[in-house]
Amino acid sequence: MDKVIKTQIEKRLKRKPNGLEKHLFEAMWSEHCGYLHSKKQLKKLNFKGALFPQENAGGVRVGRVGIFFKTESHNHPCAVEPYQGAATGVGGIIRDILALNARPVALLNSLKFAPPEDKAVKHIISGVTSGISDYGNSCGIPDIAGEVIFDDSYKDMPLVNVMAVGIAPLDRVKLSKAKANLEIVLLGSATGLDGIGGAAFASKELKEDKKEEKIHVQIGDPFAKKQLIEASLEILNLEGVIACQDCGAAGILSSTSEMAYKGDCTIELELAKVHLAQKNMEPWQILLSETQERMVFALKKEVIDKVFKIAQKYELEISHIGRTLECNREENLYIVKKDGKILSSTPVSVLCEPYCYELEAIEPEELKILRAKKCNANLDVVSAVEKMSQSYNLASKKWFYEQWDYLVGARSYVEPSYCGAGVLKLIDEEGFAGFCMDTNPLCCALDSYTGSVNTVLESYRNLVSSGFEPLGFTDCLNFANPGQDSVKYTFVKSVEGLKYASEALNVPVVSGNVSFYNEINGRKVHPSVTLGMCGYCKKEEDIIPARFLENSDIFLIGRRISKDSNIGGSLYQKELFGFLGGCVDMPDIELEIKLKNTIFYLRDNKLIEGAADVSKGGLLGTLMRVLFDSGTGFSGSLIFDNHCSAEHKLKLLFGEIGGRYLVCSKKCREAEKYFIKNNIPYLYLGKSIGDKIKFDGYEFELSKLKEKYLNSISNALDDV
């Protein structure tokens, strides 16, 4: 805790904190709990139209139900103990959904690792993958979609961002706001010593030797979580249960203090009543333990017996640990007792309103230099196609999703990679919900404002190309040490980019998370703005596959790359030349909305059979992925100018700009008439046909490229 924070605490308390209170403030005024460097920036975001955006998880409305979703990071724990770090990351985000009385129905993940070329990295990948699979699926929740990105910047610090989705009737939603004269009940696993100090641990840079940090990593129990889910849903549907919070970061302390803060009441806890896993735990340990599988409820006295019976039914431990009181003073208090003795009486507002920093966005000189760099490397098209087809970042991620069950729970509607989104059938309401997760760290490293706008639009296009109207998104903002000027700048500009895109598209932010200090010994991760977006479509036939039928006509609709296009941050530059530089293309929002309407018109009038967003890997990278998944070849033209330089050919084939879709149609003439009539930019590329990929004099065996695409990751990880 730095001097500024210590001074502010004493100033607000009007005294020095006692021994217990030092622990309380270390947690609640940590970056992880207090959002010291980010809170003022996050207030800029567009929440208009979101359901309960200030709750544990926000959501969007579809008819009579709310679809609630949120992302969470568990980067630090996964760097130290990959299996438990990933498992408890899943557990924590499930509880955020559960606290609203929403049944958790799906998981997604965004994973970022170093390339899988040494044992240490493979150990992390194996642990994270197994932790996600073993925990989420054992709770009866499917993994329906996500992304995996490989880059050297994640060598020391993998990024593990998890998204959970829940559904609840709007008239049954419960909030985390307590009120006076309620009883406080703790349900779930016995509080132990695991995970103590986790909030403070996640608010600092890791050391090179991570062994000593393992004590801060929580331990998950998915089978206890399944019992907790069912018990909590039954409890939350009792009329006398007013509020709920999960015990996540800073455990009982954060959950109970935030309840009182939101409810404008005093809260009094008796630590002797907390059911413990170990004897003789210190008061601060009881309050700050991050033992998993626990929920806190604020309820009326007359329903306590019913709640205890439900706990007994599900074989869960339960304690009556405190109560809320009316404020009889100028300030509501957070009162901690042990065997009747008051150990701390602290103003709730002081605990829950930490000092927040102002961030000044001064563009660092290093970014200007990076954007001015030119990629002059020369490589022939044949070699480039061969290399890109087996790039870890373009290759099939089947090694990952085959380890996860996407069908458990009976709501999942399509297999992974069928379209640009994971799909759930809405049992409680007509229609389908689509979800995706996206990050563009290379673009954000060059230009965090434009990179963030492009990331929102990539998620937007993934949903649109799958037939879903985008409704809202959650964000997980992963950055290095916020004390550094370069990190301050990229963070501020990322938030501004999210605000602009959200408002321009009328797609609100519903929830989010910030993870700072993702670096070790000055080695920083790229600014990684991860988004999870939700969309809706009404009918099964509205879902568009990312598949091309044999003997269909293939179009590119949207923008074209020219010699003057800015393609900085394109994957092929990094994959083929180890190059990061250049300017990032600023998208055309009006065109993006126009293209969305075009896709939906083509779909509704049966003019297309398949569609895909042109994103990572550019035109040819996207085309290859779709062809491999469709089992058909291609014959046509992608370059349109065989006299241009080799460098420009690669730019046309693999350069990345926004506002582009590939679509296939068996009604070519009708589709073209619509494009011309409505001034939609388009190019006719050719046909999906045969067993080769042929364009502009180049020819590749589909089966050979597909084998590399399917197996490059599996081959790298076959010994984990």
Side-chain angles (χ1 to χ4, degrees), residues 23 183 210 221-222 262 279-280 309 372 378 432 678 699 703 705:
H23 289 289
E183 309 303 318
K210 306 169 189 172
D221 182 345
K262 291 179 181 179
K279 294 181 179 180
N280 302 318
K309 286 179 181 178
N378 207 351
F432 300 84
N678 293 278
E699 184 174 307
S703 59
L705 293 181

Side-chain angles (χ1 to χ4, degrees), residues 427-717:
I427 297 172
D428 308 302
E429 186 64 46
E430 183 182 11
F432 300 84
F435 302 91
C436 59
M437 289 191 81
D438 293 289
T439 318
N440 200 328
L442 296 182
C443 283
C444 285
L446 290 171
D447 183 340
S448 56
Y449 178 90
T450 308
S452 295
V453 174
N454 278 323
T455 304
V456 175
L457 285 165
E458 184 174 345
S459 285
Y460 184 87
R461 290 191 298 269
N462 272 326
L463 288 176
V464 169
S465 68
S466 304
F468 293 88
E469 179 71 44
L471 298 179
F473 67 87
T474 177
D475 57 63
C476 194
L477 311 179
N478 305 270
F479 290 80
N481 187 335
Q484 300 171 15
D485 289 342
S486 61
V487 177
K488 291 177 186 177
Y489 175 82
T490 54
F491 181 77
V492 169
K493 289 299 179 182
S494 292
V495 172
E496 290 175 356
L498 293 179
K499 176 181 184 293
Y500 166 72
S502 174
E503 292 176 344
L505 295 168
N506 194 27
V507 179
V509 178
V510 306
S511 60
N513 169 252
V514 178
S515 174
F516 281 128
Y517 299 99
N518 292 293
E519 65 178 281
I520 295 179
N521 285 351
R523 298 189 296 273
K524 301 182 288 189
V525 302
H526 288 319
S528 300
V529 177
T530 303
L531 299 184
M533 192 172 285
C534 170
Y536 173 76
C537 72
K538 193 169 185 179
K539 300 174 292 185
E540 178 183 4
E541 53 266 34
D542 289 343
I543 302 171
I544 307 170
R547 300 282 192 275
F548 291 167
L549 300 179
E550 178 76 17
N551 203 29
S552 292
D553 291 296
I554 310 300
F555 293 93
L556 171 69
I557 64 170
R559 303 169 71 193
R560 304 181 190 183
I561 285 181
S562 69
K563 290 183 179 180
D564 299 323
S565 296
N566 293 314
I567 60 164
S570 294
L571 182 64
Y572 89 95
Q573 296 175 321
K574 194 74 184 293
E575 296 287 306
L576 300 182
F577 309 121
F579 175 85
L580 179 60
C583 293
V584 180
D585 176 75
M586 184 63 186
D588 181 340
I589 297 286
E590 288 186 8
L591 176 62
E592 296 278 0
I593 296 172
K594 191 174 183 179
L595 291 175
K596 180 198 74 171
N597 295 333
T598 298
I599 293 287
F600 289 170
Y601 177 88
L602 296 173
R603 175 200 66 188
D604 295 343
N605 290 275
K606 313 299 181 187
L607 298 182
I608 59 169
E609 291 81 35
D613 159 42
V614 178
S615 55
K616 293 180 178 70
L619 175 58
L620 183 52
T622 303
L623 178 62
M624 286 195 297
R625 287 200 307 273
V626 177
L627 294 176
F628 296 152
D629 290 335
S630 305
T632 183
F634 171 81
S635 180
S637 180
L638 303 177
I639 297 175
F640 297 98
D641 181 6
N642 280 314
H643 298 293
C644 65
S645 67
E647 183 178 345
H648 189 57
K649 287 181 181 179
L650 295 183
K651 186 175 183 178
L652 292 171
L653 293 174
F654 297 114
E656 297 168 24
I657 60 172
R660 301 193 293 168
Y661 295 86
L662 287 177
V663 299
C664 81
S665 174
K666 285 188 176 292
K667 297 181 179 180
C668 174
R669 291 183 179 178
E670 291 93 328
E672 284 195 278
K673 285 180 183 178
Y674 180 83
F675 299 149
I676 294 168
K677 180 180 178 180
N678 293 278
N679 196 29
I680 306 299
Y682 81 98
L683 284 172
Y684 176 77
L685 300 181
K687 283 188 174 291
S688 52
I689 192 169
D691 58 1
K692 293 179 171 57
I693 298 177
K694 297 190 290 185
F695 60 91
D696 305 293
Y698 299 100
E699 184 174 307
F700 303 89
E701 291 286 341
L702 183 74
S703 59
K704 291 182 179 179
L705 293 181
K706 184 176 180 178
E707 192 277 333
K708 295 175 181 177
Y709 164 79
L710 289 175
N711 297 314
S712 64
I713 290 177
S714 300
N715 291 341
L717 295 172

